Amino acid sequence: MTAITLDVIRAAAEIEGVCVRPIVSHLHDVETGKKRLVPIPCGSTREAQCPPCADKARKLRMQQCREGWHLDTEPDPPEHDEDDGYGEDAEDQADDADGGSERRVRSTRRRQDAPDLPSYEVEARTVGQVFTTDGGKTYRPSMFATMTLPSYGRVRSDGTPVDPGSYDYRQAALDAMHFPKLVDRFWQNLRRAVGYRVQYFAAVEPQRRLAPHLHAAIRGAIPRVVMRQVIAGTYHQVWWPAFDEPVYDDEELPGWDHSAGGYVDPDTGELLPTWEQALDRLDTDPDARPGHVVRFGEQTDLQGILAGTSQADRRVGYLCKYLNKSIADTHPDEEPSARRSAHVDRLWEQARWLPCSPRCGNWLRYGVQPKDARPTLEPGRCRGKAHRRDTLGCGGRRVLVSRQWTGKTLTQHRADRAAVVRAVLEEAGIEAPDVDRYSTKVTTADGRPRFVWTAVRAHEVPAYRELLLDLLKERQRWRGQYEDAKQRAGPPGRDLSATEEAAEEVAA
């Protein structure tokens, strides 16, 4: 009998929604003394790494988006959850892109080339306004908005430049790097302009030309003229030392001097200015200009959306469509052309060598020691997310969610999905799994954690083939139990699509 190949097993696992990169850990029950190996889903959000886990993550985001878009009651801010992807409301999103933890005071005067913005006292509400028709019918519309970056040169239908030589790849890479800051500033400006705490679920996706743009579900209706005014008047200035032209070439770069405790000029041996010293010079220069200014482009799309319509459902799917793909692979050709590959390479080359943050090793090329410099820094080898070929400069979060979107963390949304399945199983008389059974919060009589998770050694991990086969059998057993429970319980009167998604989450 011919043995089933690993490729066939992996393909079956992907079809059944089984993680293809499970992480095996030791589970020790302190109370009983028993130990066993437990495979845990990898939880990847990228389809190229693990399609089943990435698909679950995308469906979870769709649930989160749908649940918060048209709320008519005020949700409470949830507890912090590092996986939620909150936007500018989250303190951990305050990157030091403007010069470090000690905020430097700069002029608040607006640029003369940017229109003024309206500003109202912000009300303590997050839900949208209710409108009433002449017939007495009330409705509470929301919005779907798309904002893009400016043009860097003419492009073909496939997104590649008509003239690569004149296409502004440097500007494109810098705009992508600082796009998250521009988006944060937009939400701040919008809230001041409309007078209430606007809530949003947004996704950063690349256009075919690979420039990032923003799709956003916005709770409440905002006049289009106000939206366009805020978009046009929003900008972000990057106050960094000059990085127009490299001071050193790649063959002769500054080296670390242990006695001096920093990087020195390769010819003179003089210590390079530190990051703080470089900023001090910038502050005292009356003619100083920001190192970069990023703005939105003129192309925008603003739509009014009503709850419960097919249009709302389509927009949720569209908003989350590419969340499980990398920036470079979001718009793959059927047969990737040499022209498109060259376009990706040129954009990546710019993103690779430009500084991504004050701590980036690329600052050595421009004669400045990075913030918190250390001996191992090397230009072109910064490990920042913005420098990777699959991000092409866009190193920020792909999903941005305001804190009071649903009033729940992602963990709580997962629990909601599991609760749906548990209800179906229990209604049919089948013992439901306790998802918190092995939680570190479960304690023994003396208050110690009952369950302890530890890493396994390489020789203890089961063969990958056998591991996937066991997970497949477990998934099929759960699916059979769940389908049997639905048949025995009869029509549950629930949202079956949500139930099916929850079933997949629990069965994993």
Side-chain angles (χ1 to χ4, degrees):
M1 182 176 179
T2 305
I4 303 176
T5 65
L6 181 58
D7 289 342
V8 171
I9 297 173
R10 183 185 173 98
E14 292 182 2
I15 293 172
E16 291 290 334
V18 173
C19 174
V20 296
R21 299 195 319 164
I23 302 168
V24 181
S25 296
H26 273 303
L27 177 63
H28 177 205
D29 187 337
V30 176
E31 198 166 90
T32 64
K34 294 182 179 180
K35 295 181 180 180
R36 65 189 183 95
L37 295 177
V38 179
I40 305 170
C42 69
S44 174
T45 59
R46 290 292 169 261
E47 187 179 62
Q49 296 176 341
C50 181
C53 285
D55 188 55
K56 290 188 180 75
R58 184 181 64 84
K59 290 178 178 177
L60 183 64
R61 288 298 189 181
M62 290 177 66
Q63 175 187 339
Q64 184 185 32
C65 178
R66 185 179 294 110
E67 189 169 324
W69 198 356
H70 306 284
L71 285 182
D72 55 8
T73 57
E74 295 290 348
D76 295 324
E79 297 178 359
H80 176 63
D81 185 331
E82 63 180 9
D83 294 328
D84 282 321
Y86 292 126
E88 92 289 344
D89 295 324
E91 294 179 1
D92 63 347
Q93 291 295 302
D95 186 72
D96 57 356
D98 287 319
S101 57
E102 295 183 5
R103 187 169 182 83
R104 291 172 178 260
V105 178
R106 304 194 186 281
S107 173
T108 58
R109 181 181 301 174
R110 286 184 59 78
R111 295 179 62 90
Q112 294 182 355
D113 56 359
D116 292 334
L117 295 170
S119 180
Y120 299 93
E121 185 176 350
V122 178
E123 300 177 30
R125 66 178 175 92
T126 69
V127 296
Q129 184 179 355
V130 176
F131 297 88
T132 305
T133 66
D134 294 337
K137 183 179 180 180
T138 61
Y139 62 102
R140 193 192 303 266
S142 290
M143 299 189 73
F144 184 84
T146 299
M147 290 160 279
T148 66
L149 286 169
S151 171
Y152 309 112
R154 293 178 56 206
V155 295
R156 298 181 172 88
S157 59
D158 64 353
T160 60
V162 173
D163 180 14
S166 63
Y167 193 82
D168 197 341
Y169 280 101
R170 187 178 189 276
Q171 178 82 11
L174 283 172
D175 281 358
M177 285 181 174
H178 299 285
F179 189 67
K181 284 292 183 181
L182 178 68
V183 171
D184 283 353
R185 186 59 53 85
F186 167 76
W187 296 121
Q188 294 167 10
N189 290 342
L190 185 63
R191 286 174 171 172
R192 295 189 185 105
V194 300
Y196 75 98
R197 290 188 59 80
V198 178
Q199 300 298 300
Y200 57 87
F201 179 103
V204 177
E205 302 293 352
Q207 297 175 290
R208 286 197 173 275
R209 58 180 178 145
L210 300 180
H213 64 164
L214 187 79
H215 295 305
I218 302 174
R219 188 187 304 154
I222 300 171
R224 286 173 172 79
V225 64
V226 175
M227 284 287 294
R228 292 194 173 94
Q229 187 178 5
V230 174
I231 292 170
T234 297
Y235 59 86
H236 174 65
Q237 299 183 119
V238 183
W239 287 99
W240 283 351
F243 56 98
D244 294 332
E245 295 292 337
V247 176
Y248 302 100
D249 59 35
D250 300 331
E251 296 181 359
E252 194 172 17
L253 292 166
W256 181 267
D257 188 315
H258 289 278
S259 60
Y263 285 90
V264 298
D265 184 283
D267 296 325
T268 66
E270 293 183 2
L271 198 65
L272 299 185
T274 65
W275 178 257
E276 294 298 330
Q277 290 171 342
L279 289 185
D280 289 341
R281 294 178 183 177
L282 188 67
D283 289 343
T284 57
D285 182 359
D287 298 322
R289 296 291 182 271
H292 184 66
V293 180
V294 55
R295 297 181 174 89
F296 290 111
E298 296 180 358
Q299 189 176 20
T300 60
D301 183 42
L302 306 172
Q303 303 174 15
I305 304 291
L306 290 177
T309 63
S310 59
Q311 186 182 25
D313 289 337
R314 288 195 299 269
R315 290 297 174 268
V316 170
Y318 182 71
L319 188 60
C320 302
K321 182 177 181 181
Y322 295 119
L323 291 185
N324 55 1
K325 297 183 182 295
S326 66
I327 293 290
D329 296 331
T330 300
H331 297 287
D333 299 326
E334 293 183 4
E335 293 183 3
S337 66
R339 187 170 61 203
R340 185 167 182 82
S341 295
H343 178 52
V344 172
D345 289 341
R346 285 189 289 265
L347 185 55
W348 176 53
E349 187 69 11
Q350 286 289 335
R352 178 186 174 189
W353 293 103
L354 287 167
C356 68
S357 73
R359 292 178 173 82
C360 181
N362 286 344
W363 280 111
L364 295 175
R365 301 179 71 218
Y366 301 98
V368 177
Q369 295 195 66
K371 184 180 174 68
D372 301 329
R374 56 190 186 280
T376 56
L377 297 179
E378 184 178 352
R381 295 186 180 276
C382 176
R383 299 179 66 179
K385 185 178 176 182
H387 297 297
R388 289 171 11 195
R389 194 179 188 277
D390 62 340
T391 64
L392 298 176
C394 192
R397 291 183 183 271
R398 295 286 297 281
V399 181
L400 303 171
V401 189
S402 54
R403 281 204 177 276
Q404 290 177 272
W405 180 251
T406 61
K408 300 176 184 178
T409 64
L410 278 181
T411 300
Q412 290 170 325
H413 281 294
R414 291 189 187 98
D416 287 347
R417 298 169 71 184
V420 175
V421 172
R422 188 180 298 108
V424 174
L425 293 174
E426 291 177 350
E427 190 173 347
I430 298 176
E431 182 181 358
D434 183 357
V435 295
D436 295 324
R437 182 180 300 168
Y438 304 122
S439 170
T440 55
K441 296 180 181 179
V442 178
T443 59
T444 59
D446 57 1
R448 293 181 301 157
R450 176 177 173 180
F451 301 104
V452 179
W453 294 88
T454 56
V456 300
R457 298 178 181 177
H459 70 275
E460 297 176 301
V461 179
Y464 181 63
R465 173 193 174 91
E466 283 67 31
L467 186 62
L468 278 190
L469 280 173
D470 289 343
L471 290 174
L472 267 171
K473 292 176 183 177
E474 184 179 41
R475 165 54 63 90
Q476 291 167 350
R477 177 174 63 85
W478 271 107
R479 191 178 295 277
Q481 282 187 319
Y482 177 71
E483 293 297 333
D484 181 58
K486 285 201 300 182
Q487 292 293 329
R488 283 198 274 168
R494 299 185 183 92
D495 183 350
L496 292 182
S497 62
T499 302
E500 290 295 336
E501 289 185 16
E504 292 184 358
E505 181 72 15
V506 173

